[in-house]
Amino acid sequence: VPHPYPVVIGGDLTLSVAGTSCASPTSGGIIGLLNDARLAAGKTTLGFLNPLLYTNPDALTDVTKGTQAGCGTTKQEFGFEAVEGWDAVTGLGSLNYERLLDVVMALP
């Protein structure tokens, strides 16, 4: 069951979304905050993130329940299930700001 993510424009609640419509801008905001913390400490921004994320999967929250029915289908047999570790539904999982902050601040 999706959990609607409220969208506020000009102070007014306009609609609720779920999935990548909320995950992508939220993840972008978290990465922006991590870069801000690094810059404030006199460090460089993060750059290409894949090596950082794949070598620190514990800095993310693994999502192990849920399904994606597949492109344009409602039948689960054509889709994907969330499992422990990487999966096609949630990748490595959801970003955990506090854990990621510890990781990125330990970098040179």
Side-chain angles (χ1 to χ4, degrees):
V1 176
H3 300 283
Y5 187 92
V7 176
V8 178
I9 299 174
D12 296 321
L13 181 64
T14 59
L15 60 121
S16 293
V17 296
T20 54
S21 295
C22 63
S24 294
T26 301
S27 296
I30 290 170
I31 298 304
L33 290 171
L34 295 171
N35 277 327
D36 282 349
R38 285 185 54 80
L39 289 171
K43 298 180 180 219
T44 61
T45 57
L46 295 169
F48 184 58
L49 296 174
N50 284 7
L52 172 76
L53 298 175
Y54 279 89
T55 57
N56 294 282
D58 291 339
L60 288 85
T61 301
D62 191 10
V63 179
T64 58
K65 294 181 182 178
T67 58
Q68 172 62 41
C71 298
T73 70
T74 57
K75 294 183 179 180
Q76 184 52 47
E77 64 188 285
F78 300 119
F80 306 96
E81 289 189 38
V83 296
E84 187 173 328
W86 186 92
D87 59 69
V89 180
T90 65
L92 291 172
S94 56
L95 301 179
N96 182 307
Y97 174 77
E98 292 166 346
R99 285 190 235 152
L100 280 168
L101 183 62
D102 289 341
V103 169
V104 302
M105 294 310 288
L107 297 172

